[in-house]
């Protein structure tokens, strides 16, 4: 038997003794649900922090925030490239591969159709409409002229500081 096979066999035997069937039943659920949680604010880009700290109560622009198509994707925000996110400030939207300057929506409105001037990496500037429909305070549908069905997104959040 080769040295690699022997090492692999020993590793499998060692690991099999470390995990029992009952260990999954006794595991405690996490104290904090990690669904839709962002990395620490110190690791986020300026526009992401601006979206997080924006006072939506004052502006009444419910769509301002950090959004992902799946709560698990929030943890990847500003850490790696991925599809399915939107960082929305009162005057911009950053999505995978493009950043858009936007007109401000109607305060208090659940549906906003915004004019956007977008610049994708290495491409010319384009103009389009982006529709933001609030489904709840934690869910939104983002659609464009080219994707009328849109993408349902969840609001990402930061964990409160421990104190």
């Amino acid at each position: 038997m080769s040295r690699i096979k022997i090492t692999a066999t020993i590793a499998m035997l060692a690991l099999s003794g470390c995990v029992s069937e009952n260990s999954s039943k006794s595991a405690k659920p996490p104290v904090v649900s990690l669904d839709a949680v962002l990395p620490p604010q110190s690791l986020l880009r300026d526009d992401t922090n601006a979206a997080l700290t924006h006072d939506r109560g004052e502006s009444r622009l419910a769509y301002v925030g950090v959004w992902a198509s799946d709560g698990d994707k929030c943890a990847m925000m500003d850490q790696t490239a991925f599809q399915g996110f939107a960082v929305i400030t009162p005057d911009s939207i950053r999505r995978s591969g493009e950043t858009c300057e936007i007109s401000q929506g109607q305060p208090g409105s659940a549906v906003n159709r915004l004019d956007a001037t977008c610049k994708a990496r290495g491409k010319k500037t384009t103009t389009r409409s982006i529709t933001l429909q609030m489904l709840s305070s934690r869910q939104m549908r983002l659609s464009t002229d080219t994707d009328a069905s849109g993408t349902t997104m969840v609001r990402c959040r930061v964990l409160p500081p421990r104190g």
Side-chain angles (χ1 to χ4, degrees):
M1 195 182 279
S2 74
R3 186 178 291 168
I4 295 173
K5 286 183 181 178
I6 292 171
T7 304
T9 303
I10 292 171
M12 287 185 348
L13 289 172
L15 289 174
S16 67
C18 294
V19 179
S20 71
E21 284 185 38
N22 293 335
S23 65
S24 64
K25 292 178 185 174
S26 64
K28 294 181 181 178
V31 176
V32 176
S33 169
L34 297 181
D35 188 38
V37 173
L38 290 163
Q41 283 185 276
S42 62
L43 299 177
L44 300 175
R45 291 172 52 163
D46 289 343
D47 65 334
T48 306
N49 279 313
L52 289 170
T53 58
H54 176 78
D55 186 352
R56 293 187 312 272
E58 184 178 318
S59 72
R60 298 182 50 225
L61 299 173
Y63 58 80
V64 172
V66 181
W67 303 88
S69 58
D70 181 286
D72 291 341
K73 290 183 177 181
C74 293
M76 298 187 306
M77 193 68 62
D78 297 345
Q79 306 307 300
T80 187
F82 69 97
Q83 297 288 319
F85 76 90
V87 174
I88 306 174
T89 67
D91 57 1
S92 70
I93 295 179
R94 177 171 49 95
R95 300 188 310 152
S96 179
E98 74 175 2
T99 300
C100 305
E101 291 181 17
I102 57 172
S103 59
Q104 195 171 66
Q106 184 66 33
S109 178
V111 179
N112 284 279
R113 186 176 172 102
L114 309 175
D115 296 323
T117 303
C118 302
K119 177 81 173 159
R121 286 185 219 118
K123 296 186 180 181
K124 67 178 186 172
T125 301
T126 59
T127 303
R128 70 173 62 108
S129 289
I130 296 176
T131 302
L132 305 171
Q133 177 186 8
M134 295 304 299
L135 304 174
S136 72
S137 64
R138 306 227 37 97
Q139 279 195 312
M140 167 189 76
R141 182 178 324 282
L142 185 149
S143 56
T144 64
D145 296 337
T146 57
D147 179 20
S149 62
T151 303
T152 300
M153 303 183 129
V154 297
R155 188 181 300 274
C156 298
R157 60 190 174 87
V158 291
L159 289 177
R162 290 184 175 188

